[in-house]
Amino acid sequence: MPTPASGRGFLWLGLVLSSVCVALGSETQANSTTDALNILLIIVDDLRPSLGCYGDKLVRSPNIDQLASHSLLFQNAFAQQAVCAPSRVSFLTGRRPDTTRLYDFNSYWRVHAGNFSTIPQYFKENGYVTMSVGKVFHPGITSNHTDDSPYSWSFPPYHPSSEKYENTKTCRGPDGELHANLLCPVDVVDVPEGTLPDKQSTEQAVQLLEKMKTSANPFFLAVGYHKPHIPFRYPKEFQKLYPLENITLAPDSEVPDGLPPVAYNPWMDIRQREDVQALNISVPYGPIPVDFQRKIRQSYFASVSYLDTQVGHLLSALDDLQLANSTIVAFTSDHGWALGEHGEWAKYSNFDVATHVPLMFYVPGRTASLPEAGEKLFPYLDPFDSASELMEPGRQSMDLVELVSLFPTLAGLAGLQVPPRCPVPSFHVELCREGKNLLKHFRFRDLEEDPYLPGNPRELIAYSQYPRPADFPQWNSDKPSLKDIKIMGYSIRTIDYRYTVWVGFNPDEFLANFSDIHAGELYFVDSDPFQDHNMYNDSQGGDLFQLLMP
């Protein structure tokens, strides 16, 4: 049955369906092959790899785990900047933040950097009907207030009507009043419109799949889910999956002694929530009271399980519509999220907890056998069903990879010409990519062989970066505007270590000065997996970093 909010959504859908008909007839470079693979790209907001398929024993994510069981899963995938808009523009254009020149939320890359093509734009120009549901591009000026329409999409993107309530006073507190809280488990029937954004996005995505089933053109459908982004506003029944007595603290919940102040994220957006303000936590280092830390972790995990149900309904519809044998499914997140590690919360840093993301690709007939008639690859799995068994990932790669590889990899998997590597500089080049093509990982000789793909991981490097306005944490350290950026933290992650150098940065010229080193970090992963013991002062300083930069 439609939710009370569906009236507006169906009006949008009617406009969309008529636009699809126009789009189908107007593609000038239509792909004439009848066996072109569709693309379903699922992008999650703030999701770290706290999933069963990544070895998390607590989190219940059966539907994402099921997808992983039919996919190639990358164990070591990293974002290029741990904040929403810069990361999304980076991987959707296949360019690093220093090329998009977007480190904040205040510019549109086509105006301020270059007229760079995007993943959906490239598919659209190659005959695909491209559709956006939910949060794909970050809304606002960073996507020209249009989600990069009309460049990227065959018709205007859909945003759920209920997302406007996400940061309003809709959280019922212990006092019985409504608040704008961080922790916000809700009774869905009581919230405005009687629904939640991710529920609406799933409904609309399913209806688009139903329409595209009969299309002569292949489709590219991007679905962006909000949770587990804060506030943790999710159906309250998901709390039951995570009793507080089962919730542990982060294994390293103290601020490390050797952490340079410039590297610390003071989690200012968390502090602005009413329930956190009531705790009267000192700035910048806190700490948050232990019992509240457990509640934050509980709500994050509950939000992940709620998200998992939406992914499950979407993939089950793909099965029901018999599209699973003709659709590539890519699943990822824009960045991770700290849950108390290093005494930090949220993203806004170069640590693994902020940059490490899930990344998996289901390719019909390649990562899994084609489903036979009547067979379902993605039957919906209820996270509340305690009898369900953890599914092991299908194929896995331990190689370090970057989200900027998403563009060339999706193009290659779909049989399109892979965009060329970018020259340096590439501001004048509309179509190129700075990430590696991961297609070699999909060349399986035998599905029965070792599921961990071989390689030489010591040859691989993942790069990330984060800006700061000052050497010490302050009110805008997490999200400095371009004009306020004085320092850039460039970080290298290898299979052995994470190495970060914080250097002077000129925001007018977009130039980093590697002779102006403010601080450094060096963590050896094998002996220090949580990155708590900074060995930088025992190393050769910034010289090694300059040798390793791309």
Side-chain angles (χ1 to χ4, degrees):
M1 291 291 292
T3 66
S6 295
R8 187 177 305 173
F10 287 131
L11 282 175
W12 174 88
L13 187 64
L15 293 173
V16 162
L17 298 184
S18 61
S19 299
V20 167
C21 296
V22 174
L24 292 178
S26 63
E27 298 292 353
T28 58
Q29 296 181 344
N31 191 329
S32 60
T33 61
T34 58
D35 57 353
L37 290 172
N38 307 306
I39 305 290
L40 173 58
L41 172 60
I42 302 172
I43 303 170
V44 184
D45 213 344
D46 290 16
L47 178 65
R48 58 194 257 163
S50 291
L51 301 164
C53 53
Y54 279 88
D56 194 300
K57 304 299 184 185
L58 178 65
V59 173
R60 296 191 63 82
S61 53
N63 294 285
I64 298 172
D65 298 343
Q66 180 172 246
L67 173 63
S69 74
H70 300 301
S71 298
L72 170 58
L73 180 146
F74 289 91
Q75 286 282 357
N76 292 296
F78 292 89
Q80 277 49 78
Q81 187 176 330
V83 69
C84 301
S87 177
R88 288 166 186 260
V89 168
S90 172
F91 69 72
L92 287 168
T93 62
R95 318 275 185 122
R96 301 180 189 279
D98 276 347
T99 303
T100 66
R101 292 182 166 176
L102 180 67
Y103 315 108
D104 59 9
F105 296 81
N106 302 320
S107 68
Y108 181 40
W109 79 90
R110 294 188 190 274
V111 173
H112 293 278
N115 189 29
F116 308 145
S117 296
T118 69
I119 300 175
Q121 177 184 355
Y122 188 58
F123 277 82
K124 180 183 176 187
E125 291 169 350
N126 278 276
Y128 280 68
V129 176
T130 57
M131 302 166 285
S132 173
V133 171
K135 185 178 178 182
V136 178
F137 284 99
H138 191 87
I141 193 172
T142 58
S143 55
N144 203 32
H145 299 283
T146 63
D147 294 275
D148 195 45
S149 290
Y151 296 100
S152 289
W153 310 110
S154 299
F155 43 82
Y158 168 81
H159 285 279
S161 58
S162 64
E163 70 182 14
K164 62 179 172 288
Y165 303 109
E166 280 290 284
N167 293 301
T168 61
K169 293 177 183 273
T170 59
C171 315
R172 186 78 57 186
D175 58 2
E177 300 297 320
L178 294 176
H179 299 274
N181 285 344
L182 173 66
L183 311 181
C184 191
V186 298
D187 190 333
V188 176
V189 298
D190 291 338
V191 299
E193 299 190 26
T195 189
L196 295 172
D198 288 344
K199 286 178 173 286
Q200 288 185 290
S201 290
T202 300
E203 292 166 3
Q204 300 295 351
V206 168
Q207 293 184 56
L208 287 175
L209 289 176
E210 291 171 347
K211 175 63 180 178
M212 295 310 299
K213 176 178 170 57
T214 59
S215 168
N217 286 57
F219 66 80
F220 179 106
L221 173 60
V223 181
Y225 285 116
H226 283 261
K227 295 303 118 182
H229 193 287
I230 64 171
F232 299 124
R233 187 167 172 260
Y234 59 91
K236 64 182 181 181
E237 58 267 25
F238 286 90
Q239 270 191 329
K240 298 175 184 176
L241 293 171
Y242 304 98
L244 277 175
E245 58 268 24
N246 294 345
I247 304 298
T248 60
L249 300 180
D252 56 341
S253 58
E254 303 291 331
V255 179
D257 290 338
L259 182 70
V262 70
Y264 186 75
N265 139 43
W267 34 281
M268 297 305 293
D269 56 350
I270 302 290
R271 299 173 187 273
Q272 295 167 6
R273 309 290 163 165
E274 290 184 31
D275 50 351
V276 178
Q277 286 181 347
L279 300 173
N280 196 27
I281 299 168
S282 63
V283 178
Y285 294 109
I288 292 177
V290 167
D291 60 340
F292 202 83
Q293 288 189 42
R294 285 196 172 90
K295 290 179 179 178
I296 294 176
R297 290 169 67 88
Q298 176 195 46
S299 276
Y300 184 91
F301 299 145
S303 296
V304 171
S305 291
Y306 162 57
L307 157 77
D308 181 79
T309 63
Q310 299 309 303
V311 173
H313 288 306
L314 178 60
L315 294 178
S316 179
L318 195 74
D319 250 343
D320 293 340
L321 294 166
Q322 299 180 328
L323 289 168
N325 61 354
S326 59
T327 303
I328 294 169
V329 181
F331 178 94
T332 194
S333 167
D334 51 1
H335 43 70
W337 212 83
L339 285 168
E341 294 86 359
H342 314 109
E344 294 181 316
W345 302 86
K347 46 254 188 180
Y348 315 125
S349 82
N350 282 316
F351 282 118
D352 277 14
V353 288
T355 56
H356 189 196
V357 295
L359 178 65
M360 64 189 79
F361 298 85
Y362 159 72
V363 185
R366 192 175 292 192
T367 61
S369 300
L370 290 173
E372 306 207 2
E375 179 188 2
K376 292 200 69 173
L377 282 182
F378 305 116
Y380 176 77
L381 300 175
D382 187 347
F384 291 91
D385 183 2
S386 58
S388 62
E389 297 182 0
L390 176 63
M391 294 188 181
E392 294 294 329
R395 310 286 295 186
Q396 299 183 61
S397 173
M398 304 302 293
D399 284 1
L400 279 88
V401 299
E402 304 174 293
L403 283 187
V404 282
S405 289
L406 193 61
F407 195 155
T409 303
L410 282 177
L413 289 173
L416 304 182
Q417 182 175 345
V418 175
R421 293 297 297 262
C422 290
V424 179
S426 65
F427 299 109
H428 61 290
V429 182
E430 292 189 10
L431 179 63
C432 67
R433 41 92 182 188
E434 294 180 352
K436 293 181 179 179
N437 182 1
L438 304 180
L439 204 59
K440 68 176 184 179
H441 294 277
F442 294 85
R443 297 181 184 132
F444 310 135
R445 293 188 300 274
D446 183 352
L447 290 177
E448 298 302 320
E449 68 184 26
D450 185 350
Y452 288 90
L453 296 177
N456 186 355
R458 283 181 171 78
E459 296 179 354
L460 302 170
I461 295 175
Y463 299 93
S464 62
Q465 61 190 99
Y466 209 86
R468 295 285 190 233
D471 285 299
F472 290 88
Q474 60 186 45
W475 67 273
N476 63 340
S477 287
D478 295 343
K479 295 185 286 187
S481 296
L482 175 63
K483 64 180 177 60
D484 297 322
I485 297 172
K486 302 294 188 295
I487 304 164
M488 187 69 73
Y490 289 95
S491 193
I492 291 170
R493 177 63 157 86
T494 75
I495 201 71
D496 297 314
Y497 59 83
R498 177 171 287 284
Y499 193 95
T500 305
V501 177
W502 298 88
V503 302
F505 185 82
N506 182 335
D508 297 321
E509 302 293 334
F510 298 95
L511 288 178
N513 182 359
F514 282 89
S515 64
D516 179 22
I517 298 176
H518 290 237
E521 301 168 81
L522 176 61
Y523 308 99
F524 293 101
V525 175
D526 281 345
S527 60
D528 184 20
F530 300 115
Q531 301 168 16
D532 294 314
H533 305 288
N534 184 7
M535 306 299 291
Y536 176 81
N537 291 329
D538 298 329
S539 73
Q540 297 180 358
D543 296 337
L544 176 62
F545 191 93
Q546 293 188 61
L547 292 174
L548 294 173
M549 282 297 291

